[in-house]
Amino acid sequence: MGIGTVDRGQRAVTVERTIPAPAHRLFDLVADPAMHPLIDGSGTVKAVADGAPHRLAPGVRFGMAMRIGTHYRITNTVVEFEEGRLLAWDHMGRARWRYRFEPLDGGRSTRVVETWDYSTAPRWLGLALGVLGFRRRNRRGMERTLERLEAQVTARPEARRTETGA
């Protein structure tokens, strides 16, 4: 439906999109680490690491196979959690990926707000991320992530199973 980009100061980037689906369905997709490679719009999330949980919860750690130039693994920890409404994790650089789900239209649609917040990262890292163009790159990837999230939740169930191999 609609998408918007909002800068939240120098050390955070936020995008939002209104998606015609209930908040709990969207939250469930983001709370499943196995879905992250399918909804990731940056192209950097390649696979969920072995041993990852089936569903995220407060304090849960989960690993992802990544690629930005080279392959690497990253371990994330869920640091903010409110069932159906809020989910955030951070990783080694203390940058935080946050998703907020705000029900609209009596619950028939949802404003999804994704934020990449690196205000808690060391100042030198924030400067490096800016110089390397991560603000712009992440904004584009986040906009595509919300598009892909919408596509997943609005796809026919049989189409979703085919894409995920289920």
Side-chain angles (χ1 to χ4, degrees):
M1 284 181 87
I3 191 163
T5 301
V6 180
D7 277 329
R8 302 273 190 221
Q10 294 295 320
R11 298 183 48 119
V13 175
T14 296
V15 298
E16 61 183 59
R17 184 179 185 93
T18 299
I19 299 177
H24 70 89
R25 287 186 57 211
L26 295 159
F27 183 91
D28 287 346
L29 286 171
V30 176
D32 179 357
M35 292 302 296
H36 291 194
L38 294 174
I39 63 173
D40 170 49
S42 72
T44 62
V45 180
K46 298 304 181 184
V48 65
D50 291 339
H54 293 290
R55 182 164 167 80
L56 300 179
V60 165
R61 292 172 51 97
F62 65 103
M64 302 302 285
M66 307 287 292
R67 181 179 171 100
I68 300 179
T70 189
H71 292 280
Y72 65 99
R73 292 198 181 274
I74 196 158
T75 300
N76 303 291
T77 304
V78 176
V79 293
E80 298 176 26
F81 187 94
E82 182 183 338
E83 182 66 44
R85 295 292 187 123
L86 173 67
L87 180 58
W89 57 85
D90 64 13
H91 52 74
M92 64 184 180
R94 294 195 320 252
R96 187 165 292 184
W97 293 94
R98 180 181 299 112
Y99 290 83
R100 290 186 187 279
F101 303 88
E102 302 170 8
L104 303 170
D105 304 323
R108 291 185 305 276
S109 63
T110 304
R111 178 180 301 116
V112 182
V113 180
E114 181 182 3
T115 300
W116 173 57
D117 180 354
Y118 58 101
S119 64
T120 56
R123 183 138 180 84
W124 66 267
L125 180 58
L127 294 172
L129 292 170
V131 168
L132 295 172
F134 275 86
R135 287 178 56 80
R136 186 173 44 258
R137 180 191 309 174
N138 283 351
R139 179 181 301 112
R140 284 192 311 265
M142 292 161 63
E143 289 169 349
R144 287 192 297 262
T145 294
L146 296 186
E147 291 169 7
R148 292 175 74 149
L149 180 61
E150 179 173 350
Q152 281 294 318
V153 79
T154 59
R156 294 183 326 275
E158 59 275 8
R160 221 175 11 256
R161 278 195 302 273
T162 301
E163 292 172 12
T164 62

